[in-house]
Amino acid sequence: MAKAKTATVFYCQSCGYESSKWMGQCPGCKEWNTFVEEKVKAKTTGSGMAGRAAREAGKPSRLSEIALNDEERMSTHIQELDRVLGGGIVPGSLILVGGDPGIGKSTLLLQVCRYIALDGRKVLYISGEESLKQIKLRAKRIGEFGETLFLLCETNLAVIEETIRHLQPDITIIDSIQTMYQEEVSSAPGSVSQVREATNIFLQLAKGMGTSIFIVGHVTKEGTVAGPRVLEHMVDTVLYFEGDRHASYRILRGVKNRFGSTNEIGVFEMQETGLVEVANPSEFMLEGKPEGANGSVVSCSMEGTRPILFEIQALVCRSNFGFPRRQANGTDFNRVNLLMAVLEKRVGLQMSDCDAYVNLAGGMKIAEPAIDLGIAMAVASSFKNRPIDDKTAAFGEIGLSGEVRGISMIEQRIQEAARMGYTTCIIPKVCEKQLKNSKGIKVIGVSSVQDAVDLI
């Protein structure tokens, strides 16, 4: 058998673009100075029985001949996680979990291991960052575990693959993918080649054995999973853990899911015993809302199929400098500047010499245009020093001409506001015809931002 030849290639650390020579700028992502040199071994073409088996396995099949059975999902007994996954864990799925250091990724997955092990299913937790005693100390704070949970501290992919094939667990946790390495690949753990090779091995194990594998991934300073972008394309589901690690709440967001809807979120609260589900996120986000304060209004955002109410705060005051300061926390800074320009041009509020601060209370990060009306009303309320009724919620998109445009799922937003005890909703006038049942709550339709400001 011919020996594998060693070749030198260059990989982009940002997007995984491959080149035979070094380049200053990556043609794929246009980033500068991201190419690194790595040595790879070219694999020889299969021959004999192995080559013949591979050719037979690649035969095409008719779509009508493929049997389709409903996948029996495995519940994690954590309703917020099951919601994000689309109803539970699909057997044979590969799931990537990313998030900032200390946000609670390992804690959440260890809780998943606990509940599944208590059901009598076999679980394998593989750690490349912690010792067995460290995992035991963390597990002791969470609670009692079943006898079917197995721990392994290893980073060698050959040993890990052999262990998974021998144990045949129902669930496997890999913490983390950046610490795994294969001896045949000469580059360091965490490099583009090692991450790609490790993910490919786990993908083959998941699809071939039917075991569900959770992969923990580190994130960069921009908030994306470290390593090649192909990592997110190979897995079935991508989950991001968001939130300030110094705050109590955490948000688990699904940005890719082949077995369910995307952009679903689950809300958790970090406590001494681990992560606790927040069954009513709207109530959690509105805790401590001041009464009778100007510059405060409640709005609603749709996160997947879930409406969440939250408070928008604004503070507008005269500037002591020639160039006024503008700051936004939890929403797009440029969007706030755009809305303030609309208020100046279309409503006549002269705020060119005012400092303006906009904050989404509770630490939520919302980019949905439906909160435009809430931001505009909060800014106008602070500027006029007039409070908005405490039982009023506002949501709608604002255009450059000052018109209030329609938004999706208006009835679900109104129902959530009514459930939380709000009596008035300010919505786009074009959405009034979509309403089928708005009993118990007063609905005011506005066609322009001027109409909304007049209600303050």
Side-chain angles (χ1 to χ4, degrees), residues 130-183:
E130 296 178 292
S131 66
L132 294 176
K133 290 185 179 180
Q134 288 176 314
I135 301 174
K136 177 67 175 180
L137 288 172
R138 187 150 44 86
K140 193 175 180 180
R141 295 195 301 266
I142 295 176
E144 296 294 330
F145 283 73
E147 295 296 325
T148 56
L149 173 62
F150 298 86
L151 301 180
L152 175 66
C153 292
E154 184 59 64
T155 57
N156 192 325
L157 280 170
V159 177
I160 292 172
E161 182 178 3
E162 182 65 27
T163 303
I164 294 175
R165 292 189 183 277
H166 174 72
L167 191 62
Q168 295 187 350
D170 296 298
I171 299 291
T172 303
I173 310 295
I174 307 296
D175 189 8
S176 64
I177 189 66
Q178 278 80 12
T179 61
M180 304 297 154
Y181 75 94
Q182 190 175 32
E183 293 180 344

Side-chain angles (χ1 to χ4, degrees), residues 236-285:
D236 297 312
T237 306
V238 179
L239 307 178
Y240 274 97
F241 226 7
E242 302 174 356
D244 187 356
R245 61 179 177 177
H246 302 294
S248 61
Y249 85 97
R250 304 287 190 271
I251 292 178
L252 184 67
R253 188 184 303 274
V255 297
K256 174 188 176 182
N257 193 351
R258 289 174 178 162
F259 309 111
S261 62
T262 58
N263 207 32
E264 285 284 358
I265 71 164
V267 184
F268 299 87
E269 184 179 5
M270 179 63 79
Q271 297 182 1
E272 293 181 0
T273 57
L275 290 163
V276 179
E277 301 174 69
V278 178
N280 191 349
S282 296
E283 182 181 1
F284 182 75
M285 294 298 173

Side-chain angles (χ1 to χ4, degrees), residues 282 285-286 297-301 308-312 360-361 364 366 371:
S282 296
M285 294 298 173
L286 294 175
V297 68
V298 171
S299 189
C300 182
S301 175
I308 296 182
L309 297 180
F310 55 92
E311 180 191 4
I312 300 176
L360 269 58
M364 287 284 289
I366 305 294
I371 68 173

Side-chain angles (χ1 to χ4, degrees), residues 21-41:
K21 62 180 181 178
W22 186 88
M23 290 184 288
Q25 186 184 34
C26 173
C29 61
K30 306 302 180 183
E31 295 288 337
W32 288 90
N33 300 323
T34 56
F35 275 89
V36 293
E37 180 182 0
E38 294 184 10
K39 293 182 179 180
V40 296
K41 292 184 178 180

Side-chain angles (χ1 to χ4, degrees), residues 181-218:
Y181 75 94
Q182 190 175 32
E183 293 180 344
E184 288 78 5
V185 181
S186 58
S187 57
S191 62
V192 174
S193 300
Q194 291 283 11
V195 171
R196 183 165 55 184
E197 189 67 24
T199 308
N200 186 44
I201 290 176
F202 293 131
L203 180 63
Q204 293 176 3
L205 289 172
K207 304 305 178 185
M209 298 178 55
T211 178
S212 301
I213 300 179
F214 284 83
I215 296 176
V216 176
H218 297 165

